[in-house]
Amino acid sequence: MINNDCVMSQIKGETLFLFTFSIYLFYVVMNTTIWEMPPLFAYFLRVLTVILIVIRLFWVINTYTLKELLLFCTCLLILFITAYSCGYSTFIIPFVFIVTAKNIKFKKIVRIYFLIELTILLITVFASSVGILENVAHYRGLDDIPRYSFGYVYPTDFASHIFYLLLAWYYLREGKLALKDYILYLGMSYFIFHNCHARLDSICVLLIIFTSFFYWKIKKRTTLNKLTSFVLTYSVSFAALIMLGVTYAYSNPTLFLVALDYILTGRISLGYRALSEDGMKIFGQHYVQKGSGTGDEYNFIDSSFLLIPIIYGISFFVIMLFVLIHICKKSLDKKNYFFPLIIILVAIHSMVSHHLIEFAYNPFFLGAFSCVKHNK
């Protein structure tokens, strides 16, 4: 009878979490489109999310050890101080989601993410194609080639949604891509390059295909050599160090760095200007970003590994790295070599994209404490 009660409690807790996650995901994804939600409805979704996630927090809190609870409380305190310093608080609810995802099957989380993202994307693209929403064309610099946003705020936002959707499908397929999947990925890579001129997302979609071949070679191994394990564990740290190192090196730019900055459409020089003028604070700082379409000089930090330490602070940056390293370590301990490969793709994408900590795009943070199974 006790076992039955435990099972029923687990089912109810899982249902509560997944329902709350669905509400929150719908809200944040809709905010990346040009759909206009009624203010009262948007407020209702925010309040409902907070109420339900707090209930879920009390539901799951007794499953953590005292040491873990002290760690979570410390991190939460740092996040509140960071929110006060930089003026943004949108990362607090996602952190609570990460903590309360314990014992939830991660595949169920990704499946819900995939269905909600895909539904909103298809409806938005259809609405922009028939004139219900405006398919805004953007132009970069002196280019006269239109970059279409398909009902989203910006073309690269739309392209990043495509990348993370395909990454989620890759996860749900457990790395087993069929011929039709390869054709789909190649087609979508060409589509977002041709229509959005989002080179990063186009290349990262192709990297998913490359990763599937690599995973096919290592998935049946019972152990990995030390170098491979080290790379799979600390890939995010490597990506962060590369972007920070290249940006700092721009103080004395070589021909290579100038060429790289040109290829990355000024991301390195913009990052260097932000680092040299404002630096990195322990708990972040208020920093006004100005993107295309604002009418002001473009000043936007695209790289997540520059944006996070500059705006949200060094302490937040360390917490983020800890969470991602923990995900990889936990996966490798369970002989799961697939999930760290997913994190590598996220890390590569985040070197040039600012969507790393946004749940509207990246759901893979939730793998920190949820149930991630080992390789079959």
Side-chain angles (χ1 to χ4, degrees):
M1 185 68 182
I2 295 177
N3 289 335
N4 289 337
D5 290 342
C6 290
V7 171
M8 289 303 298
S9 177
Q10 172 64 20
I11 292 174
K12 291 178 181 178
E14 184 179 85
T15 302
L16 173 62
F17 177 87
L18 295 176
F19 177 69
T20 309
F21 176 64
S22 300
I23 294 172
Y24 178 72
L25 183 64
F26 173 80
Y27 170 74
V28 294
V29 173
M30 286 295 290
N31 280 338
T32 67
T33 71
I34 60 175
W35 289 106
E36 293 186 8
M37 282 192 294
L40 188 61
F41 180 62
Y43 179 76
F44 169 75
L45 292 181
R46 292 197 301 270
V47 172
L48 183 60
T49 296
V50 172
I51 292 173
L52 293 180
I53 201 61
V54 169
I55 293 174
R56 170 61 186 173
L57 180 61
F58 283 106
W59 193 303
V60 78
I61 200 170
N62 64 338
T63 64
Y64 284 104
T65 65
L66 179 60
K67 182 179 178 181
E68 289 171 332
L69 289 175
L70 289 174
L71 178 62
F72 295 152
C73 291
T74 302
C75 290
L76 194 58
L77 177 62
I78 291 173
L79 295 185
F80 275 113
I81 297 173
T82 299
Y84 176 79
S85 298
C86 70
Y88 300 104
S89 60
T90 53
F91 47 79
I92 293 177
I93 290 180
F95 175 78
V96 180
F97 268 105
I98 292 171
V99 173
T100 57
K102 189 175 183 181
N103 298 327
I104 307 296
K105 292 182 179 178
F106 186 67
K107 196 168 185 179
K108 290 186 177 181
I109 296 174
V110 178
R111 187 177 291 116
I112 285 178
Y113 165 86
F114 180 81
L115 291 174
I116 292 176
E117 281 271 8
L118 181 62
T119 301
I120 293 176
L121 185 138
L122 291 177
I123 292 174
T124 302
V125 171
F126 174 77
S128 68
S129 64
V130 298
I132 298 175
L133 292 177
E134 183 181 1
N135 187 7
V136 181
H138 295 261
Y139 298 86
R140 179 169 52 201
L142 299 177
D143 295 341
D144 58 353
I145 303 175
R147 307 168 68 212
Y148 296 104
S149 57
F150 294 96
Y152 284 79
V153 174
Y154 199 70
T156 50
D157 292 335
F158 170 72
S160 290
H161 277 291
I162 295 288
F163 166 71
Y164 276 107
L165 260 175
L166 294 176
L167 195 59
W169 176 247
Y170 178 53
Y171 180 84
L172 293 174
R173 293 279 296 170
E174 298 180 354
K176 302 172 186 175
L177 297 181
L179 178 60
K180 61 181 180 181
D181 296 314
Y182 290 124
I183 295 173
L184 170 66
Y185 280 49
L186 289 171
M188 293 310 301
S189 176
Y190 174 77
F191 175 82
I192 57 181
F193 177 80
H194 180 72
N195 291 283
C196 307
H197 289 267
R199 292 169 294 182
L200 165 71
D201 300 278
S202 180
I203 292 171
C204 285
V205 169
L206 296 178
L207 286 178
I208 296 176
I209 297 176
F210 173 79
T211 304
S212 70
F213 294 131
F214 178 73
Y215 177 61
W216 180 79
K217 296 183 67 174
I218 68 169
K219 68 177 181 178
K220 292 184 179 181
R221 296 182 184 179
T222 55
T223 58
L224 295 176
N225 62 59
K226 291 183 179 180
L227 178 59
T228 304
S229 296
F230 186 75
V231 171
L232 289 177
T233 302
Y234 297 101
S235 60
V236 178
S237 301
F238 298 147
L241 287 173
I242 289 171
M243 284 306 300
L244 287 169
V246 167
T247 305
Y248 272 114
Y250 204 77
S251 60
N252 186 22
T254 63
L255 182 61
F256 169 75
L257 288 176
V258 171
L260 183 62
D261 184 53
Y262 176 78
I263 293 172
L264 298 179
T265 58
R267 282 171 167 85
I268 298 176
S269 56
L270 287 171
Y272 173 73
R273 185 170 71 179
L275 280 175
S276 59
E277 293 178 358
D278 299 279
M280 296 185 293
K281 308 295 191 296
I282 296 295
F283 296 109
Q285 61 190 313
H286 183 66
Y287 185 92
V288 179
Q289 298 215 92
K290 299 175 182 178
S292 297
T294 61
D296 297 317
E297 181 185 1
Y298 186 84
N299 181 33
F300 198 93
I301 307 172
D302 285 287
S303 171
S304 296
F305 299 122
L306 297 175
L307 179 146
I308 293 171
I310 291 173
I311 296 180
Y312 300 113
I314 298 171
S315 56
F316 184 98
F317 188 56
V318 171
I319 292 173
M320 179 209 69
L321 291 178
F322 170 79
V323 170
L324 291 172
I325 291 171
H326 173 75
I327 291 173
C328 295
K329 277 188 173 181
K330 184 182 76 167
S331 300
L332 291 176
D333 288 343
K334 294 183 177 182
K335 305 299 180 183
N336 184 330
Y337 311 140
F338 179 49
F339 207 172
L341 288 175
I342 294 284
I343 300 301
I344 287 178
L345 291 169
V346 170
I348 293 172
H349 187 268
S350 301
M351 292 175 73
V352 193
S353 167
H354 61 281
H355 299 306
L356 176 60
I357 60 172
E358 297 179 30
F359 270 24
Y361 300 87
N362 178 19
F364 295 101
F365 271 107
L366 290 170
F369 302 106
S370 60
C371 296
V372 179
K373 65 181 181 179
H374 58 76
N375 289 350
K376 287 187 176 180

